[in-house]
């Protein structure tokens, strides 16, 4: 183990010690430096292959680029990226040298006509595509688990809570159906964003001029449509969408990603927030099947997955704000706005993907405790049905008087510990009360809860 005075440059790399949300999640590897390097190399090889598709490069050049790419080292490229402001410059230098060692004639085809932003933007879209594929799979799992919970607990009555207090009865099925609706919407938004992820190709200032010039220098006749056809071929080779325009300073794809990821994290955060509240010892209506231990208190089983999801939801708005800020990229290539995106974008992809994995595990094994829900419904001695009682008393004494009597009865119950019937008889001695047993049955005051659950799950009554 290194001593505390060892130079920072010699300390081990970041291995996730302070990022338990993403530690061990598949999306962490899918967004790591090695994955980004692989995506940059894929972008470089796709460019050569696209040019070869149009007869602008020999077909063997792309094979040479692909073969040479296996020899590059992410550490040496990263260490030299500061001098030029981005990692593409050292990558191109190393890739060109590696290709030249295999096929000297192919070396000139590396990166021809492109700019660094073409490669890195395309690479980050490729990384995003992989990360979103993993995330979408986990959102599907989560939605399936929530649908099963909602169906299984369609009639499970629990306290509805507003502003932290008991409000009126609801069902756990309706709550789970609401979670399910959020997750399906997150999936819809992410899937649309995933399908639209574009390749980037524009050259130095978004005009594709260098590609035209290289073609004409090689003897081709001037062709105004060359750049457009090359962009289409490049998109096909990368598997990404074809952009209408180069988007060097038109950062819609990044903003769309930011919005979809922030929504997804927030949707999962809503589930986590509810689970955390309902897992409190004094509430006990839910527990995680595999809660975490405490370092000091052996009796505890902490809702760790919900905690990690909530941590993600709190971070994503800040990351999204940085990414939305990059919409104000200046000129035809930005100074700083583009560079500011890289790490927040990767972190947003990584955190959201890991949160989706935790959500799938959490919801797939969530323990629901209907007996605690029944116990909590009874904690106020029937006052959770006060709204229903007020409606029932209104024809007898008027709406205002009914609400006032119930408010006084609630205070009397809290002060004296009496029953609801005793409190109401004391407040309304001259009124013949209706059947309080029936009116205070929470299961009799659910309104459209079951029908709403059915509709959310696609089972319209």
């Amino acid at each position: 183990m290194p001593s505390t005075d060892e130079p920072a440059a010699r300390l081990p790399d970041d291995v996730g010690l302070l990022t338990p949300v993403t530690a061990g999640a598949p999306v962490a590897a899918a967004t790591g430096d090695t994955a980004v390097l692989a995506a940059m190399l894929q972008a470089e090889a796709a460019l050569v292959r696209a040019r070869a598709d149009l007869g602008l490069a020999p077909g063997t050049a792309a094979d040479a680029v692909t073969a040479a790419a296996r020899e590059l080292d992410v550490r040496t490229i990263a260490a030299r990226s500061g001098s030029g402001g981005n990692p593409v410059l050292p990558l191109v230098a190393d890739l060109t040298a590696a290709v030249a060692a295999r096929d000297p004639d192919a070396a000139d085809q590396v990166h021809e006509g492109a700019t660094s932003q073409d490669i890195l933007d395309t690479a980050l879209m490729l990384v995003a595509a992989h990360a979103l594929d993993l995330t979408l799979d986990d959102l599907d799992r989560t939605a399936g688990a929530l649908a099963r919970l909602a169906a299984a607990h369609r009639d499970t009555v629990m306290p509805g809570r507003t502003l932290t207090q008991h409000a009126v009865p609801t069902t756990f099925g309706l709550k789970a159906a609401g979670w399910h609706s959020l997750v399906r919407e997150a999936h819809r938004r992410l899937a649309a964003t995933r399908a639209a992820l574009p390749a980037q190709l524009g050259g130095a200032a978004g005009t594709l001029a260098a590609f035209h010039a290289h073609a004409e220098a090689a003897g081709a006749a001037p062709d105004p449509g060359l750049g457009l056809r090359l962009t289409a071929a490049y998109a096909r080779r990368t598997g990404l969408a074809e952009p209408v325009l180069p988007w060097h300073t038109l950062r819609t794809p990044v903003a769309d990603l930011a919005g979809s990821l922030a929504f997804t994290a927030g949707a999962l955060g809503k589930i986590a927030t509810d689970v955390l509240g309902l897992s409190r010892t004094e509430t006990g209506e839910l527990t995680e099947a595999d809660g975490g231990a405490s370092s000091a208190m052996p009796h505890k089983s902490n809702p760790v997955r919900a905690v990690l999801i909530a941590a993600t939801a709190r971070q994503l708005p800040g990351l999204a704000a940085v990414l939305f800020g990059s919409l104000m990229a200046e000129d035809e290539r930005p100074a700083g706005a583009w560079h500011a995106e890289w790490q927040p974008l990767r972190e947003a992809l990584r955190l959201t993907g890991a949160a989706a994995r935790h959500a799938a595990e959490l919801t797939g094994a969530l323990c629901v405790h209907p007996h605690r829900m029944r116990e909590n419904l009874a904690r106020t001695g029937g006052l959770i049905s006060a709204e229903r009682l007020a409606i029932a008393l209104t024809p007898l004494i008027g709406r205002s008087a009914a609400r006032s009597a119930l408010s006084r009865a609630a205070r009397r119950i809290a002060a004296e510990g009496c029953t609801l019937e005793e409190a109401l008889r004391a407040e309304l001695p001259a009124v013949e009360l209706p059947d309080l047993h029936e009116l205070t049955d929470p299961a009799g005051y659910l309104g459209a809860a079951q029908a709403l659950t059915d509709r959310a799950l696609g089972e319209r009554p």
Side-chain angles (χ1 to χ4, degrees), residues 184-218:
R184 294 311 304 168
E185 177 62 15
H187 187 283
R188 185 192 68 77
R189 295 184 184 209
L190 272 189
T193 301
R194 164 67 179 89
L197 292 175
Q200 172 77 283
L201 194 63
T207 65
L208 299 158
F211 296 107
H212 287 251
H214 281 297
E216 292 169 19

Side-chain angles (χ1 to χ4, degrees), residues 347-374:
E347 194 67 7
L349 288 165
R350 182 175 292 180
L351 283 168
T352 305
R357 173 55 60 95
H358 287 302
E361 299 297 329
L362 168 65
T363 56
L366 188 64
C367 298
V368 183
H369 305 299
H371 71 285
R372 288 301 299 268
M373 294 175 179
R374 290 191 296 271

Side-chain angles (χ1 to χ4, degrees), residues 117 121 200 247-256 323 326-329 334 338 341-342:
Q117 192 169 351
D121 275 347
Q200 172 77 283
W247 45 280
H248 292 149
T249 54
L250 307 174
R251 307 306 286 173
T252 301
V254 174
D256 284 345
L323 298 175
S326 291
L327 282 168
M328 297 181 291
W338 174 52
E341 293 173 355
W342 308 338

Side-chain angles (χ1 to χ4, degrees), residues 88-183:
V88 179
L89 294 173
L91 176 139
V92 171
D94 289 2
L95 182 60
T96 301
V99 171
R102 292 174 170 272
D103 183 352
D105 293 335
D108 289 343
Q109 303 299 327
V110 174
H111 199 71
E112 186 173 90
T115 191
S116 297
Q117 192 169 351
D118 291 333
I119 299 305
L120 188 51
D121 275 347
T122 299
L124 290 177
M125 293 299 103
L126 289 168
V127 168
H130 189 190
L132 293 188
D133 287 342
L134 294 171
T135 304
L136 289 166
D137 285 346
D138 284 327
L139 290 177
D140 268 333
R141 292 172 56 205
T142 303
L146 291 173
R148 291 188 292 273
L149 279 172
H153 293 279
R154 176 183 183 275
D155 303 315
T156 301
V157 186
M158 66 179 294
R161 297 172 171 91
T162 62
L163 303 181
T164 76
Q165 307 296 299
H166 280 203
V168 297
T170 185
T171 66
F172 182 67
L174 182 57
K175 182 176 286 290
W179 297 345
H180 175 267
S181 178
L182 280 174
V183 171

